[in-house]
Amino acid sequence: MEAPLILSNHDLRNTSARLAVLGIFQKYTYALSHSNIEKELQKDFDRVTIYRTIHSFLDKGIVHKVMDDSESAKYALCVDECSSDHHHDNHVHFKCSKCGNSECLNNIQIPLTNLPSGYIATESNLLIEGVCKACS
Ligand SMILES: [Zn+2]
Ligand SMILES: [Zn+2]
Ligand SMILES: [Zn+2]
């Protein structure tokens, strides 16, 4: 989908910072950290703008967090119909031990687990580590 359309579908105005950050997410197939994005855009936008932009994307359901054990948080584009406060990214993430990149395996769902009574799941994360397609 075109970047301006993604923004308007998620109730965000088109700004140059949002279009630029979204463009970076669309360019890479793996999850990106704040510093990855800053490196690409440091000539055009300051850190605070980039930080705020990523967080507005997280709020609006454009990107989701990828928990991959790295020191810094990483984010990847949502493919499902995520919306404000309502993410449906129930897929497995894969971290490559060679290149260090983490990707979304969007077609592999995290299996539902039966929790003991009294426990309510709100979110689950599943990280598989190994060697990715590009490195194997
Ligand atoms: Zn999402
Ligand atoms: Zn790899
Ligand atoms: Zn993901």
Side-chain angles (χ1 to χ4, degrees), residues 111-124:
L112 280 177
T113 34
N114 285 316
L115 294 171
S117 70
Y119 291 82
I120 300 162
T122 51
E123 205 185 294
S124 53

Side-chain angles (χ1 to χ4, degrees), residues 14-70:
N14 288 328
T15 64
S16 54
R18 286 174 185 155
L19 289 171
V21 172
L22 189 52
I24 302 296
F25 278 113
Q26 291 180 316
K27 188 166 139 192
Y28 293 95
T29 54
Y30 49 85
L32 301 170
S33 65
H34 284 272
S35 59
N36 292 148
I37 294 165
E38 276 166 32
K39 237 174 257 165
E40 296 258 347
L41 298 177
Q42 58 192 356
K43 284 196 285 320
D44 307 307
F45 302 102
D46 60 48
R47 289 190 61 158
V48 178
T49 306
I50 294 171
Y51 185 88
R52 285 203 191 121
T53 304
I54 295 171
H55 280 266
S56 68
F57 286 1
L58 200 58
D59 281 347
K60 295 291 185 182
I62 296 177
V63 300
H64 58 281
K65 241 188 187 151
V66 175
M67 311 283 194
D68 80 342
D69 246 5
S70 304

Side-chain angles (χ1 to χ4, degrees), residues 57-58 61-65 76-83 86-89 91:
F57 286 1
L58 200 58
I62 296 177
V63 300
H64 58 281
K65 241 188 187 151
L77 280 181
C78 297
V79 281
D80 303 305
E81 290 295 305
C82 291
S83 56
H86 222 85
H87 282 275
H88 308 275
D89 306 285
H91 54 259

